[in-house]
């Protein structure tokens, strides 16, 4: 089991917060995600407004703030949220001033340091611009469009000695740790079925009635979905947050589905469309009930993983459990995602710490989550399913509110 993927943008932002210590750096990252969510909602409104009308923008923004998955991932501090805001911001720049060029590619380049599927958007936009440019401008913008993969490769080379490290060993981590779902299922999870169905209808309606206006959000929806599909084709098991970019674009299409009638002249079509749009909004309100539960539990969702991590650090660094971990030859874990944490806190090599793929015979101790705080890790993807029970022969010897440590060997007893 290798280390997690070293995303350059995440590392850069985390480095800025490092002088504040672990808790301070976590606060900085969480603040960046919260600001990113607010920016994303505003920018989706702006995209809907620029492309169609302000009512369409309002409906699109409403979709995002009623997405349980998006709100929950924001509360949990996932850095993909501000990255989506960068991409939508690039689309807003383009919508406000077509063929804007460098500012759009610059935002995509920054986003591409966190999400590799953004590289396809940069390449497609450069191809769109290239025919009308001089060779000098083409070369400059090509460098800007290719900056993200270039910087990512250099970062991997400096840190690991392998410029393709993020797409080699860490790719196997993603395949091992996460269950696979199809893109339509993930989009349904993020948007909810009524919104996804409305977005598909809005896509068709926009291309029929407002093709020129729809070109940008439609292209963003299609290209970002294709980009995620390319990742899936490499064998990666997709996560819901990887579909946030196409989900944001489809939210604009849903906005057109329920409010596009405002662009039509008086008549039967406008009346029928307005009634259908009202039904669509009601369906979203009914299906959005989990969102309100998510809002009520934001503090729990934010504090649960943080508290569980602090408890894991305490378990591995102090008292009887730290003594056991120093003397035992192998540490078993229910998931590989905990490997870097345990290895770092216990000052052990990652080879001494293993997840589900490690033979039980190679481990003398086993660490497992036990509390509601640790179970929150399952919700955010640390565990694909409830953490498995200890292997046969292991007995609990110590622990704290979030974790239990088990041993199978008398030589590992305190």
């Amino acid at each position: 089991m290798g280390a997690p993927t070293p995303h350059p943008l995440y590392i850069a932002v985390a480095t800025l917060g490092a002088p504040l210590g672990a808790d301070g750096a976590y606060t900085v990252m969480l603040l960046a995600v919260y600001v990113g969510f607010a920016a994303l909602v505003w920018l989706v409104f702006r995209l809907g407004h620029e492309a169609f009308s302000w009512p369409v923008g309002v409906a699109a923004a409403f979709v995002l703030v009623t997405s349980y998955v998006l709100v929950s991932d924001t509360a949990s501090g996932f850095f993909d949220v501000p990255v989506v805001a960068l991409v939508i911001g690039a689309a807003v720049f383009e919508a406000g001033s077509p063929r804007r060029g460098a500012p759009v590619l610059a935002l995509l380049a920054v986003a591409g340091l966190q999400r590799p599927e953004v590289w396809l958007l940069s390449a497609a936009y450069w191809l769109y611009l290239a025919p009308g440019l001089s060779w000098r401008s083409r070369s400059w913008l090509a460098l800007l469009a290719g900056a993200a993969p270039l910087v990512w490769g250099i970062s991997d080379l400096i840190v690991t000695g392998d410029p393709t490290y993020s797409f080699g060993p860490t790719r196997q981590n993603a395949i091992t740790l996460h269950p696979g779902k199809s893109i339509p299922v993930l989009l349904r999870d993020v948007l909810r079925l009524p919104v996804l169905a409305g977005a598909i209808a809005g896509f068709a309606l926009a291309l029929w009635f407002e093709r020129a206006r729809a070109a940008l959000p439609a292209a963003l929806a299609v290209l970002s979905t294709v980009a995620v599909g390319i990742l899936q084709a490499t064998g990666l098991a997709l996560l819901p947050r990887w579909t946030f970019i196409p989900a944001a674009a489809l939210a604009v299409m849903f906005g057109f589905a329920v409010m596009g009638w405002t662009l039509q002249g008086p008549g039967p079509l406008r009346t029928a469309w307005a009634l259908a749009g009202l039904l669509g909004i009601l369906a979203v309100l009914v299906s959005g009930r989990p969102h309100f539960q998510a809002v009520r539990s934001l503090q729990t969702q934010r504090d649960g993983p943080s508290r569980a991590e602090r408890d894991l650090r305490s378990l591995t660094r102090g008292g009887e459990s730290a003594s056991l971990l120093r003397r035992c030859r192998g540490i078993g874990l229910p998931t590989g995602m905990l490997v870097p944490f345990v290895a770092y806190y216990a000052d052990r090599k990652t080879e001494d710490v293993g997840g589900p793929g490690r033979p039980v015979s190679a481990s003398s101790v086993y660490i497992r989550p036990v509390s509601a705080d640790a179970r929150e890790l399952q919700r955010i993807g640390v565990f694909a399913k409830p953490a498995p029970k200890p292997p046969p022969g292991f007995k609990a010897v110590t622990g704290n509110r979030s974790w239990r440590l088990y041993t199978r060997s008398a030589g590992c007893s305190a």
Side-chain angles (χ1 to χ4, degrees), residues 56-81:
V56 171
V58 170
F62 176 74
V63 165
L64 297 191
V65 297
T66 56
S67 168
Y68 172 81
V69 174
L70 182 58
V71 171
S72 296
D73 279 11
T74 299
S76 299
F78 283 110
F79 203 66
D80 303 78
V81 175

Side-chain angles (χ1 to χ4, degrees), residues 324-370:
L324 286 169
L325 293 174
R326 283 195 299 270
R327 293 185 284 108
C328 293
R329 61 187 178 86
I331 303 171
L333 298 169
T335 170
M337 291 193 74
L338 294 175
V339 169
F341 294 95
V342 173
Y344 176 71
Y345 294 148
D347 194 21
R348 299 288 293 269
K349 296 180 180 179
T350 55
E351 291 80 3
D352 297 332
V353 184
R358 182 187 179 93
V360 174
S361 60
S363 300
S364 298
V365 295
Y366 188 83
I367 299 174
R368 179 179 183 270
V370 296

Side-chain angles (χ1 to χ4, degrees), residues 108-179:
L108 293 177
V110 176
L113 294 176
Q114 181 72 19
R115 296 296 334 151
E117 62 268 27
V118 178
W119 303 349
L120 177 63
L121 302 181
S122 296
Y125 186 62
W126 180 85
L127 289 173
Y128 167 71
L129 295 174
L133 300 176
S134 66
W135 279 105
R136 182 176 181 178
S137 296
R138 287 178 193 170
S139 300
W140 152 241
L141 293 180
L143 181 62
L144 193 54
L150 179 64
V151 171
W152 200 318
I154 293 173
S155 174
D156 276 0
L157 179 64
I158 293 172
V159 175
T160 70
D162 178 4
T164 64
Y165 177 81
S166 293
F167 307 95
T170 62
R171 172 180 173 274
Q172 186 58 43
N173 284 0
I175 295 172
T176 302
L177 297 174
H178 303 298

Side-chain angles (χ1 to χ4, degrees), residues 86-369:
L86 289 172
V87 175
I88 301 302
V92 170
F93 271 177
E94 178 64 17
S97 180
R99 296 183 177 274
R100 193 161 186 176
V104 174
L105 285 173
L107 286 178
L108 293 177
V110 176
L113 294 176
Q114 181 72 19
R115 296 296 334 151
E117 62 268 27
V118 178
W119 303 349
L120 177 63
L121 302 181
S122 296
Y125 186 62
W126 180 85
L127 289 173
Y128 167 71
L129 295 174
L133 300 176
S134 66
W135 279 105
R136 182 176 181 178
S137 296
R138 287 178 193 170
S139 300
W140 152 241
L141 293 180
L143 181 62
L144 193 54
L150 179 64
V151 171
W152 200 318
I154 293 173
S155 174
D156 276 0
L157 179 64
I158 293 172
V159 175
T160 70
D162 178 4
T164 64
Y165 177 81
S166 293
F167 307 95
T170 62
R171 172 180 173 274
Q172 186 58 43
N173 284 0
I175 295 172
T176 302
L177 297 174
H178 303 298
K181 287 186 178 181
S182 67
I183 295 175
V185 170
L186 291 176
L187 287 172
R188 181 206 64 191
D189 291 346
V190 174
L191 294 173
R192 301 181 310 280
L193 186 58
V195 175
L196 182 57
I200 294 172
F203 195 100
L205 288 169
L207 292 181
W208 182 264
F209 290 103
E210 301 288 349
R211 185 171 302 173
R213 292 172 177 263
L216 179 58
L220 180 59
V222 171
L223 287 173
S224 57
T225 302
V226 169
V228 175
I230 291 174
L231 288 182
Q232 188 176 44
T234 67
L236 286 175
L238 303 182
L239 295 173
R241 62 182 181 272
W242 295 4
T243 63
F244 283 172
I245 297 174
L250 288 172
V252 175
M253 291 305 185
F254 172 82
F256 185 81
V258 297
M259 298 302 297
W261 57 269
T262 58
L263 298 172
Q264 305 299 312
L269 174 63
R270 179 185 172 102
T271 302
W273 195 336
L275 290 174
L278 177 60
L279 291 176
I281 293 173
L282 291 175
V284 172
L285 287 172
V286 171
S287 67
R289 291 182 61 190
H291 161 76
F292 302 108
Q293 297 172 357
V295 170
R296 287 196 296 269
S297 62
L298 283 182
Q299 190 67 28
T300 300
Q301 293 180 21
R302 188 191 75 173
D303 290 346
S306 178
R307 187 159 51 241
E309 183 181 343
R310 289 196 297 269
D311 286 349
L312 182 62
R313 180 170 53 191
S314 174
L315 180 76
T316 54
R317 286 188 169 178
E320 177 187 7
S321 54
S323 175
L324 286 169
L325 293 174
R326 283 195 299 270
R327 293 185 284 108
C328 293
R329 61 187 178 86
I331 303 171
L333 298 169
T335 170
M337 291 193 74
L338 294 175
V339 169
F341 294 95
V342 173
Y344 176 71
Y345 294 148
D347 194 21
R348 299 288 293 269
K349 296 180 180 179
T350 55
E351 291 80 3
D352 297 332
V353 184
R358 182 187 179 93
V360 174
S361 60
S363 300
S364 298
V365 295
Y366 188 83
I367 299 174
R368 179 179 183 270

